[in-house]
Amino acid sequence: MSSAGDKNVVLPITVPGELYGQDVRVTGLDIYWVGETSFDAISVVLMRRQVGVCPTCYVAILNDGVDHTCDISNNATGCTQSYTLSANNTLSSASGVLYLTLQLAFNSTTSYIELGGVRLTLEHD
């Protein structure tokens, strides 16, 4: 059992930097999820792209610090949090891993947030 409050989840995502010899752009992010109560939330969504081998070698693609709520009693099929990405979103053969960090805010020691999945939209010319 954990305490109530904020917990961070970091998801490394490995995607090809090139498709058919062309750089790839990450243009969309969809998070499928639901919380137990209206007090459980995704309070921060941060996506970064690795640009080197040091711990701080990255650029931000997305930084959303707005609380998003989706409680199961009002959203029986869950919710989708969608983002259009346009900054620092071009990958190449030299690009590293993408990191998606979610800060989850839990109402109590027994409340939950279910992540149903994460979808990235990739485009190339």
Side-chain angles (χ1 to χ4, degrees):
M1 190 84 40
S2 183
S3 61
D6 296 336
K7 308 294 183 227
N8 290 317
V9 176
V10 179
L11 305 169
I13 303 167
T14 304
V15 295
E18 291 184 341
L19 287 175
Y20 308 109
Q22 300 173 16
D23 292 347
V24 172
R25 291 180 313 282
V26 182
T27 58
L29 169 67
D30 297 315
I31 303 168
Y32 303 94
W33 72 287
V34 67
E36 181 182 20
T37 73
S38 61
F39 297 105
D40 298 308
I42 296 178
S43 53
V44 175
V45 178
L46 174 64
M47 179 175 274
R48 302 178 301 179
R49 177 174 55 85
Q50 183 182 11
V51 294
V53 294
C54 68
T56 58
C57 294
Y58 62 85
V59 294
I61 297 174
L62 170 67
N63 189 352
D64 176 17
V66 176
D67 282 353
H68 299 281
T69 60
C70 176
D71 60 294
I72 191 84
S73 61
N74 291 311
N75 303 282
T77 59
C79 297
T80 305
Q81 189 62 40
S82 296
Y83 298 93
T84 300
L85 308 175
S86 59
N88 299 314
N89 64 333
T90 300
L91 310 179
S92 69
S93 60
S95 294
V97 175
L98 298 175
Y99 291 96
L100 176 62
T101 302
L102 302 175
Q103 185 174 73
L104 307 177
F106 294 96
N107 177 46
S108 70
T109 58
T110 60
S111 65
Y112 62 84
I113 293 175
E114 291 180 6
L115 294 174
V118 174
R119 176 179 292 181
L120 293 178
T121 302
L122 304 176
E123 296 182 7
H124 66 88
D125 296 325

PDB file of all heavy atoms in Angstrom, residues 89-120:
ATOM      1  N   ASN A  89       9.957  17.700 -32.253  1.00  0.00           N
ATOM      2  CA  ASN A  89       9.327  16.400 -32.489  1.00  0.00           C
ATOM      3  C   ASN A  89       9.874  15.633 -33.683  1.00  0.00           C
ATOM      4  O   ASN A  89       9.345  14.587 -34.036  1.00  0.00           O
ATOM      5  CB  ASN A  89       7.818  16.575 -32.655  1.00  0.00           C
ATOM      6  CG  ASN A  89       7.464  17.389 -33.881  1.00  0.00           C
ATOM      7  OD1 ASN A  89       8.246  18.216 -34.344  1.00  0.00           O
ATOM      8  ND2 ASN A  89       6.274  17.167 -34.407  1.00  0.00           N
ATOM      9  N   THR A  90      10.936  16.122 -34.308  1.00  0.00           N
ATOM     10  CA  THR A  90      11.514  15.420 -35.449  1.00  0.00           C
ATOM     11  C   THR A  90      12.612  14.486 -34.978  1.00  0.00           C
ATOM     12  O   THR A  90      13.564  14.906 -34.324  1.00  0.00           O
ATOM     13  CB  THR A  90      12.073  16.412 -36.487  1.00  0.00           C
ATOM     14  OG1 THR A  90      11.004  17.251 -36.937  1.00  0.00           O
ATOM     15  CG2 THR A  90      12.657  15.682 -37.680  1.00  0.00           C
ATOM     16  N   LEU A  91      12.464  13.213 -35.317  1.00  0.00           N
ATOM     17  CA  LEU A  91      13.444  12.195 -34.976  1.00  0.00           C
ATOM     18  C   LEU A  91      14.335  11.951 -36.182  1.00  0.00           C
ATOM     19  O   LEU A  91      13.949  12.224 -37.314  1.00  0.00           O
ATOM     20  CB  LEU A  91      12.744  10.896 -34.580  1.00  0.00           C
ATOM     21  CG  LEU A  91      11.635  10.997 -33.541  1.00  0.00           C
ATOM     22  CD1 LEU A  91      11.028   9.622 -33.292  1.00  0.00           C
ATOM     23  CD2 LEU A  91      12.153  11.596 -32.253  1.00  0.00           C
ATOM     24  N   SER A  92      15.507  11.422 -35.937  1.00  0.00           N
ATOM     25  CA  SER A  92      16.425  11.075 -37.010  1.00  0.00           C
ATOM     26  C   SER A  92      17.155   9.795 -36.612  1.00  0.00           C
ATOM     27  O   SER A  92      16.926   9.249 -35.537  1.00  0.00           O
ATOM     28  CB  SER A  92      17.426  12.206 -37.248  1.00  0.00           C
ATOM     29  OG  SER A  92      18.306  12.301 -36.142  1.00  0.00           O
ATOM     30  N   SER A  93      18.076   9.363 -37.463  1.00  0.00           N
ATOM     31  CA  SER A  93      18.833   8.145 -37.143  1.00  0.00           C
ATOM     32  C   SER A  93      19.703   8.345 -35.911  1.00  0.00           C
ATOM     33  O   SER A  93      20.092   7.383 -35.260  1.00  0.00           O
ATOM     34  CB  SER A  93      19.693   7.732 -38.337  1.00  0.00           C
ATOM     35  OG  SER A  93      20.610   8.774 -38.654  1.00  0.00           O
ATOM     36  N   ALA A  94      20.004   9.598 -35.540  1.00  0.00           N
ATOM     37  CA  ALA A  94      20.819   9.890 -34.359  1.00  0.00           C
ATOM     38  C   ALA A  94      19.980  10.129 -33.105  1.00  0.00           C
ATOM     39  O   ALA A  94      20.528  10.339 -32.030  1.00  0.00           O
ATOM     40  CB  ALA A  94      21.686  11.118 -34.636  1.00  0.00           C
ATOM     41  N   SER A  95      18.664  10.106 -33.228  1.00  0.00           N
ATOM     42  CA  SER A  95      17.792  10.365 -32.082  1.00  0.00           C
ATOM     43  C   SER A  95      17.825   9.199 -31.110  1.00  0.00           C
ATOM     44  O   SER A  95      17.958   8.042 -31.512  1.00  0.00           O
ATOM     45  CB  SER A  95      16.349  10.581 -32.525  1.00  0.00           C
ATOM     46  OG  SER A  95      16.233  11.758 -33.278  1.00  0.00           O
ATOM     47  N   GLY A  96      17.658   9.537 -29.841  1.00  0.00           N
ATOM     48  CA  GLY A  96      17.606   8.506 -28.815  1.00  0.00           C
ATOM     49  C   GLY A  96      16.179   8.143 -28.466  1.00  0.00           C
ATOM     50  O   GLY A  96      15.247   8.351 -29.242  1.00  0.00           O
ATOM     51  N   VAL A  97      16.017   7.669 -27.272  1.00  0.00           N
ATOM     52  CA  VAL A  97      14.738   7.192 -26.764  1.00  0.00           C
ATOM     53  C   VAL A  97      13.822   8.369 -26.422  1.00  0.00           C
ATOM     54  O   VAL A  97      14.287   9.431 -26.010  1.00  0.00           O
ATOM     55  CB  VAL A  97      14.991   6.325 -25.510  1.00  0.00           C
ATOM     56  CG1 VAL A  97      13.715   5.897 -24.843  1.00  0.00           C
ATOM     57  CG2 VAL A  97      15.844   5.123 -25.873  1.00  0.00           C
ATOM     58  N   LEU A  98      12.525   8.185 -26.591  1.00  0.00           N
ATOM     59  CA  LEU A  98      11.529   9.133 -26.086  1.00  0.00           C
ATOM     60  C   LEU A  98      11.175   8.708 -24.669  1.00  0.00           C
ATOM     61  O   LEU A  98      11.083   7.510 -24.380  1.00  0.00           O
ATOM     62  CB  LEU A  98      10.264   9.116 -26.940  1.00  0.00           C
ATOM     63  CG  LEU A  98      10.405   9.509 -28.402  1.00  0.00           C
ATOM     64  CD1 LEU A  98       9.076   9.319 -29.117  1.00  0.00           C
ATOM     65  CD2 LEU A  98      10.889  10.929 -28.538  1.00  0.00           C
ATOM     66  N   TYR A  99      10.950   9.682 -23.799  1.00  0.00           N
ATOM     67  CA  TYR A  99      10.539   9.383 -22.428  1.00  0.00           C
ATOM     68  C   TYR A  99       9.219  10.077 -22.161  1.00  0.00           C
ATOM     69  O   TYR A  99       9.116  11.291 -22.298  1.00  0.00           O
ATOM     70  CB  TYR A  99      11.584   9.855 -21.416  1.00  0.00           C
ATOM     71  CG  TYR A  99      12.855   9.058 -21.478  1.00  0.00           C
ATOM     72  CD1 TYR A  99      13.933   9.510 -22.217  1.00  0.00           C
ATOM     73  CD2 TYR A  99      12.955   7.841 -20.817  1.00  0.00           C
ATOM     74  CE1 TYR A  99      15.101   8.765 -22.286  1.00  0.00           C
ATOM     75  CE2 TYR A  99      14.121   7.097 -20.882  1.00  0.00           C
ATOM     76  CZ  TYR A  99      15.184   7.563 -21.619  1.00  0.00           C
ATOM     77  OH  TYR A  99      16.330   6.825 -21.690  1.00  0.00           O
ATOM     78  N   LEU A 100       8.220   9.310 -21.776  1.00  0.00           N
ATOM     79  CA  LEU A 100       6.927   9.851 -21.373  1.00  0.00           C
ATOM     80  C   LEU A 100       6.839   9.729 -19.856  1.00  0.00           C
ATOM     81  O   LEU A 100       6.929   8.631 -19.309  1.00  0.00           O
ATOM     82  CB  LEU A 100       5.782   9.074 -22.027  1.00  0.00           C
ATOM     83  CG  LEU A 100       4.374   9.491 -21.615  1.00  0.00           C
ATOM     84  CD1 LEU A 100       4.092  10.937 -22.008  1.00  0.00           C
ATOM     85  CD2 LEU A 100       3.342   8.556 -22.230  1.00  0.00           C
ATOM     86  N   THR A 101       6.708  10.865 -19.190  1.00  0.00           N
ATOM     87  CA  THR A 101       6.558  10.883 -17.738  1.00  0.00           C
ATOM     88  C   THR A 101       5.146  11.335 -17.411  1.00  0.00           C
ATOM     89  O   THR A 101       4.693  12.369 -17.899  1.00  0.00           O
ATOM     90  CB  THR A 101       7.571  11.851 -17.076  1.00  0.00           C
ATOM     91  OG1 THR A 101       8.888  11.438 -17.431  1.00  0.00           O
ATOM     92  CG2 THR A 101       7.422  11.848 -15.566  1.00  0.00           C
ATOM     93  N   LEU A 102       4.461  10.545 -16.594  1.00  0.00           N
ATOM     94  CA  LEU A 102       3.124  10.884 -16.121  1.00  0.00           C
ATOM     95  C   LEU A 102       3.197  11.058 -14.616  1.00  0.00           C
ATOM     96  O   LEU A 102       3.675  10.167 -13.912  1.00  0.00           O
ATOM     97  CB  LEU A 102       2.127   9.780 -16.450  1.00  0.00           C
ATOM     98  CG  LEU A 102       1.974   9.401 -17.916  1.00  0.00           C
ATOM     99  CD1 LEU A 102       1.038   8.213 -18.063  1.00  0.00           C
ATOM    100  CD2 LEU A 102       1.485  10.577 -18.726  1.00  0.00           C
ATOM    101  N   GLN A 103       2.736  12.203 -14.135  1.00  0.00           N
ATOM    102  CA  GLN A 103       2.605  12.378 -12.685  1.00  0.00           C
ATOM    103  C   GLN A 103       1.148  12.081 -12.348  1.00  0.00           C
ATOM    104  O   GLN A 103       0.240  12.775 -12.802  1.00  0.00           O
ATOM    105  CB  GLN A 103       2.980  13.786 -12.250  1.00  0.00           C
ATOM    106  CG  GLN A 103       2.974  13.942 -10.739  1.00  0.00           C
ATOM    107  CD  GLN A 103       3.492  15.299 -10.331  1.00  0.00           C
ATOM    108  OE1 GLN A 103       2.793  16.293 -10.515  1.00  0.00           O
ATOM    109  NE2 GLN A 103       4.692  15.343  -9.799  1.00  0.00           N
ATOM    110  N   LEU A 104       0.954  11.013 -11.592  1.00  0.00           N
ATOM    111  CA  LEU A 104      -0.383  10.577 -11.220  1.00  0.00           C
ATOM    112  C   LEU A 104      -0.680  11.034  -9.802  1.00  0.00           C
ATOM    113  O   LEU A 104       0.129  10.827  -8.892  1.00  0.00           O
ATOM    114  CB  LEU A 104      -0.475   9.050 -11.314  1.00  0.00           C
ATOM    115  CG  LEU A 104      -0.044   8.436 -12.649  1.00  0.00           C
ATOM    116  CD1 LEU A 104      -0.118   6.919 -12.587  1.00  0.00           C
ATOM    117  CD2 LEU A 104      -0.878   8.969 -13.790  1.00  0.00           C
ATOM    118  N   ALA A 105      -1.830  11.653  -9.613  1.00  0.00           N
ATOM    119  CA  ALA A 105      -2.240  12.152  -8.296  1.00  0.00           C
ATOM    120  C   ALA A 105      -3.333  11.243  -7.754  1.00  0.00           C
ATOM    121  O   ALA A 105      -4.404  11.127  -8.352  1.00  0.00           O
ATOM    122  CB  ALA A 105      -2.744  13.588  -8.417  1.00  0.00           C
ATOM    123  N   PHE A 106      -3.031  10.588  -6.633  1.00  0.00           N
ATOM    124  CA  PHE A 106      -3.970   9.651  -6.031  1.00  0.00           C
ATOM    125  C   PHE A 106      -4.668  10.286  -4.837  1.00  0.00           C
ATOM    126  O   PHE A 106      -4.023  10.903  -3.983  1.00  0.00           O
ATOM    127  CB  PHE A 106      -3.242   8.376  -5.593  1.00  0.00           C
ATOM    128  CG  PHE A 106      -2.700   7.595  -6.750  1.00  0.00           C
ATOM    129  CD1 PHE A 106      -1.385   7.751  -7.146  1.00  0.00           C
ATOM    130  CD2 PHE A 106      -3.513   6.730  -7.448  1.00  0.00           C
ATOM    131  CE1 PHE A 106      -0.887   7.036  -8.225  1.00  0.00           C
ATOM    132  CE2 PHE A 106      -3.023   6.006  -8.528  1.00  0.00           C
ATOM    133  CZ  PHE A 106      -1.708   6.166  -8.917  1.00  0.00           C
ATOM    134  N   ASN A 107      -5.980  10.102  -4.765  1.00  0.00           N
ATOM    135  CA  ASN A 107      -6.815  10.656  -3.711  1.00  0.00           C
ATOM    136  C   ASN A 107      -6.560   9.993  -2.367  1.00  0.00           C
ATOM    137  O   ASN A 107      -6.601  10.638  -1.334  1.00  0.00           O
ATOM    138  CB  ASN A 107      -8.286  10.509  -4.116  1.00  0.00           C
ATOM    139  CG  ASN A 107      -9.238  10.982  -3.063  1.00  0.00           C
ATOM    140  OD1 ASN A 107      -9.056  12.041  -2.500  1.00  0.00           O
ATOM    141  ND2 ASN A 107     -10.255  10.191  -2.780  1.00  0.00           N
ATOM    142  N   SER A 108      -6.309   8.691  -2.371  1.00  0.00           N
ATOM    143  CA  SER A 108      -6.147   7.959  -1.117  1.00  0.00           C
ATOM    144  C   SER A 108      -5.200   6.780  -1.336  1.00  0.00           C
ATOM    145  O   SER A 108      -4.747   6.533  -2.454  1.00  0.00           O
ATOM    146  CB  SER A 108      -7.498   7.435  -0.622  1.00  0.00           C
ATOM    147  OG  SER A 108      -7.960   6.384  -1.462  1.00  0.00           O
ATOM    148  N   THR A 109      -4.953   6.043  -0.280  1.00  0.00           N
ATOM    149  CA  THR A 109      -4.062   4.884  -0.393  1.00  0.00           C
ATOM    150  C   THR A 109      -4.719   3.733  -1.149  1.00  0.00           C
ATOM    151  O   THR A 109      -4.030   2.807  -1.567  1.00  0.00           O
ATOM    152  CB  THR A 109      -3.638   4.381   0.996  1.00  0.00           C
ATOM    153  OG1 THR A 109      -4.806   4.039   1.749  1.00  0.00           O
ATOM    154  CG2 THR A 109      -2.835   5.441   1.738  1.00  0.00           C
ATOM    155  N   THR A 110      -6.021   3.779  -1.350  1.00  0.00           N
ATOM    156  CA  THR A 110      -6.703   2.690  -2.043  1.00  0.00           C
ATOM    157  C   THR A 110      -7.255   3.091  -3.407  1.00  0.00           C
ATOM    158  O   THR A 110      -7.771   2.240  -4.134  1.00  0.00           O
ATOM    159  CB  THR A 110      -7.868   2.146  -1.185  1.00  0.00           C
ATOM    160  OG1 THR A 110      -8.798   3.205  -0.935  1.00  0.00           O
ATOM    161  CG2 THR A 110      -7.338   1.569   0.120  1.00  0.00           C
ATOM    162  N   SER A 111      -7.195   4.367  -3.776  1.00  0.00           N
ATOM    163  CA  SER A 111      -7.733   4.770  -5.077  1.00  0.00           C
ATOM    164  C   SER A 111      -6.771   4.352  -6.189  1.00  0.00           C
ATOM    165  O   SER A 111      -5.610   4.051  -5.949  1.00  0.00           O
ATOM    166  CB  SER A 111      -8.008   6.269  -5.118  1.00  0.00           C
ATOM    167  OG  SER A 111      -6.828   7.007  -5.004  1.00  0.00           O
ATOM    168  N   TYR A 112      -7.280   4.338  -7.416  1.00  0.00           N
ATOM    169  CA  TYR A 112      -6.475   3.830  -8.527  1.00  0.00           C
ATOM    170  C   TYR A 112      -6.629   4.701  -9.765  1.00  0.00           C
ATOM    171  O   TYR A 112      -7.583   5.471  -9.907  1.00  0.00           O
ATOM    172  CB  TYR A 112      -6.878   2.397  -8.876  1.00  0.00           C
ATOM    173  CG  TYR A 112      -8.304   2.259  -9.343  1.00  0.00           C
ATOM    174  CD1 TYR A 112      -8.657   2.487 -10.670  1.00  0.00           C
ATOM    175  CD2 TYR A 112      -9.321   1.912  -8.456  1.00  0.00           C
ATOM    176  CE1 TYR A 112      -9.968   2.379 -11.100  1.00  0.00           C
ATOM    177  CE2 TYR A 112     -10.634   1.789  -8.876  1.00  0.00           C
ATOM    178  CZ  TYR A 112     -10.952   2.014 -10.199  1.00  0.00           C
ATOM    179  OH  TYR A 112     -12.245   1.911 -10.607  1.00  0.00           O
ATOM    180  N   ILE A 113      -5.670   4.561 -10.653  1.00  0.00           N
ATOM    181  CA  ILE A 113      -5.726   5.112 -12.001  1.00  0.00           C
ATOM    182  C   ILE A 113      -5.326   3.982 -12.931  1.00  0.00           C
ATOM    183  O   ILE A 113      -4.275   3.369 -12.748  1.00  0.00           O
ATOM    184  CB  ILE A 113      -4.781   6.318 -12.176  1.00  0.00           C
ATOM    185  CG1 ILE A 113      -5.275   7.495 -11.319  1.00  0.00           C
ATOM    186  CG2 ILE A 113      -4.683   6.713 -13.659  1.00  0.00           C
ATOM    187  CD1 ILE A 113      -4.354   8.691 -11.319  1.00  0.00           C
ATOM    188  N   GLU A 114      -6.189   3.668 -13.886  1.00  0.00           N
ATOM    189  CA  GLU A 114      -5.900   2.626 -14.867  1.00  0.00           C
ATOM    190  C   GLU A 114      -5.434   3.279 -16.159  1.00  0.00           C
ATOM    191  O   GLU A 114      -6.139   4.125 -16.714  1.00  0.00           O
ATOM    192  CB  GLU A 114      -7.140   1.785 -15.153  1.00  0.00           C
ATOM    193  CG  GLU A 114      -7.583   0.920 -14.008  1.00  0.00           C
ATOM    194  CD  GLU A 114      -8.818   0.094 -14.348  1.00  0.00           C
ATOM    195  OE1 GLU A 114      -9.270   0.101 -15.524  1.00  0.00           O
ATOM    196  OE2 GLU A 114      -9.341  -0.549 -13.440  1.00  0.00           O
ATOM    197  N   LEU A 115      -4.256   2.883 -16.620  1.00  0.00           N
ATOM    198  CA  LEU A 115      -3.767   3.326 -17.925  1.00  0.00           C
ATOM    199  C   LEU A 115      -4.096   2.238 -18.929  1.00  0.00           C
ATOM    200  O   LEU A 115      -3.596   1.118 -18.826  1.00  0.00           O
ATOM    201  CB  LEU A 115      -2.258   3.573 -17.879  1.00  0.00           C
ATOM    202  CG  LEU A 115      -1.803   4.716 -16.987  1.00  0.00           C
ATOM    203  CD1 LEU A 115      -0.285   4.763 -16.925  1.00  0.00           C
ATOM    204  CD2 LEU A 115      -2.359   6.032 -17.486  1.00  0.00           C
ATOM    205  N   GLY A 116      -4.941   2.576 -19.888  1.00  0.00           N
ATOM    206  CA  GLY A 116      -5.347   1.594 -20.887  1.00  0.00           C
ATOM    207  C   GLY A 116      -4.375   1.491 -22.041  1.00  0.00           C
ATOM    208  O   GLY A 116      -4.326   0.490 -22.733  1.00  0.00           O
ATOM    209  N   GLY A 117      -3.572   2.525 -22.246  1.00  0.00           N
ATOM    210  CA  GLY A 117      -2.594   2.500 -23.328  1.00  0.00           C
ATOM    211  C   GLY A 117      -2.163   3.903 -23.698  1.00  0.00           C
ATOM    212  O   GLY A 117      -2.761   4.892 -23.289  1.00  0.00           O
ATOM    213  N   VAL A 118      -1.107   3.952 -24.478  1.00  0.00           N
ATOM    214  CA  VAL A 118      -0.575   5.209 -25.019  1.00  0.00           C
ATOM    215  C   VAL A 118      -0.334   5.003 -26.493  1.00  0.00           C
ATOM    216  O   VAL A 118       0.252   3.996 -26.901  1.00  0.00           O
ATOM    217  CB  VAL A 118       0.749   5.588 -24.302  1.00  0.00           C
ATOM    218  CG1 VAL A 118       1.368   6.810 -24.953  1.00  0.00           C
ATOM    219  CG2 VAL A 118       0.518   5.825 -22.819  1.00  0.00           C
ATOM    220  N   ARG A 119      -0.812   5.938 -27.308  1.00  0.00           N
ATOM    221  CA  ARG A 119      -0.630   5.845 -28.766  1.00  0.00           C
ATOM    222  C   ARG A 119       0.124   7.070 -29.260  1.00  0.00           C
ATOM    223  O   ARG A 119      -0.234   8.205 -28.924  1.00  0.00           O
ATOM    224  CB  ARG A 119      -1.971   5.763 -29.465  1.00  0.00           C
ATOM    225  CG  ARG A 119      -1.826   5.769 -30.997  1.00  0.00           C
ATOM    226  CD  ARG A 119      -3.146   5.676 -31.668  1.00  0.00           C
ATOM    227  NE  ARG A 119      -3.672   4.339 -31.379  1.00  0.00           N
ATOM    228  CZ  ARG A 119      -4.817   3.892 -31.824  1.00  0.00           C
ATOM    229  NH1 ARG A 119      -5.588   4.660 -32.548  1.00  0.00           N
ATOM    230  NH2 ARG A 119      -5.220   2.684 -31.523  1.00  0.00           N
ATOM    231  N   LEU A 120       1.153   6.823 -30.061  1.00  0.00           N
ATOM    232  CA  LEU A 120       1.883   7.898 -30.714  1.00  0.00           C
ATOM    233  C   LEU A 120       1.487   7.935 -32.186  1.00  0.00           C
ATOM    234  O   LEU A 120       1.311   6.876 -32.807  1.00  0.00           O
ATOM    235  CB  LEU A 120       3.390   7.670 -30.644  1.00  0.00           C
ATOM    236  CG  LEU A 120       4.046   7.745 -29.285  1.00  0.00           C
ATOM    237  CD1 LEU A 120       5.539   7.432 -29.406  1.00  0.00           C
ATOM    238  CD2 LEU A 120       3.842   9.104 -28.642  1.00  0.00           C
TER     239      LEU A 120
END
